[in-house]
Amino acid sequence: PPFSKNKNGVCWVFKCPAGQYHFSGTTTECRDMTVSTCSAGVGFHSPSAKDQTNLTGSTLNDGRCNACLLGTYKNTAAPTPCLSCPQGYYSDQLSARSCSPCPQGFYASTAGKPTCSPCSIGTYHDQAAQTSSSSCKTCMPGHYANATGSSECIGCPSGKKLPDEGGPDLHDHLDDCEECGVLSFNPFVGKSDCYLCLTAETFGSST
């Protein structure tokens, strides 16, 4: 076949390395492309490359540089393509040289993300670079999260309680916090119960 040679009875298929192309009329001569490499943040591309993953085996002088798209990066100056950001990371800028970890309260479950997905209301997480929505945990008793992408939950104010650990729908709004009943009080923030107080004559007592 073209671009091959017989050596000791074995047919060897020849491919020029990335950034070079097979010079017409020869079997194994490679020449540097006019555009043979690209800087960091810019991916190398050769439409004629037989191996589009490694960009080897080009047959034309068609090297070109393209800015890395959102969700991709390239950290070296080389004739290599841009890579997808791994799970748990994102890139929201063109020509990125690196990806950023998803912040607390967010996650990226697939590679190549330009943004991270937020934890839903009623849930939170306090670790960066998370890869799944399962990292988002329901707020503990006495706490709620009324915004997406929360890295921590808010404690119910004094005079109130939130006893049910339950699901996110029971921890997604201040209204989920219940007032202490008559003959009970709570002077603390973020509590799951109120305390007996024989002098508390109104709902929601904090003293």
Side-chain angles (χ1 to χ4, degrees):
F3 316 130
S4 64
K5 63 185 300 185
N6 188 306
K7 186 175 182 181
N8 298 326
V10 177
C11 181
W12 296 84
V13 177
F14 181 77
K15 290 183 180 180
C16 291
Q20 296 184 342
Y21 69 102
H22 178 262
F23 185 60
S24 178
T26 69
T27 302
T28 60
E29 182 183 356
C30 297
R31 292 189 177 183
D32 287 339
M33 295 181 179
T34 304
V35 178
S36 61
T37 190
C38 302
S39 62
V42 182
F44 180 76
H45 182 54
S46 170
S48 68
K50 301 301 183 183
D51 181 347
Q52 284 294 318
T53 299
N54 299 305
L55 298 175
T56 58
S58 294
T59 57
L60 298 172
N61 182 11
D62 59 358
R64 63 184 68 169
C65 295
N66 297 316
C68 292
L69 301 177
L70 303 182
T72 67
Y73 76 104
K74 181 169 168 252
N75 58 11
T76 59
T80 54
C82 299
L83 302 174
S84 295
C85 294
Q87 288 179 289
Y89 289 77
Y90 74 102
S91 170
D92 60 358
Q93 296 182 350
L94 296 174
S95 302
R97 299 186 178 192
S98 63
C99 301
S100 301
C102 292
Q104 297 175 350
F106 293 79
Y107 64 93
S109 57
T110 58
K113 299 288 287 185
T115 59
C116 301
S117 301
C119 290
S120 60
I121 58 174
T123 68
Y124 78 104
H125 77 63
D126 55 5
Q127 302 291 323
Q130 295 301 297
T131 60
S132 171
S133 60
S134 63
S135 63
C136 303
K137 300 169 285 190
T138 300
C139 295
M140 296 293 290
H143 296 76
Y144 68 96
N146 60 357
T148 59
S150 294
S151 60
E152 60 182 2
C153 297
I154 304 168
C156 291
S158 58
K160 296 190 176 186
K161 63 178 180 176
L162 208 173
D164 189 6
E165 187 167 357
D169 59 325
L170 298 177
H171 296 265
D172 59 3
H173 199 278
L174 175 60
D175 290 345
D176 293 322
C177 302
E178 306 169 7
E179 288 187 332
C180 293
V182 175
L183 302 182
S184 65
F185 83 115
N186 174 27
F188 305 109
V189 173
K191 303 303 286 187
S192 62
D193 209 348
C194 299
Y195 306 93
L196 178 65
C197 178
L198 298 178
T199 61
E201 299 179 350
T202 60
F203 288 96
S205 295
S206 60
T207 57

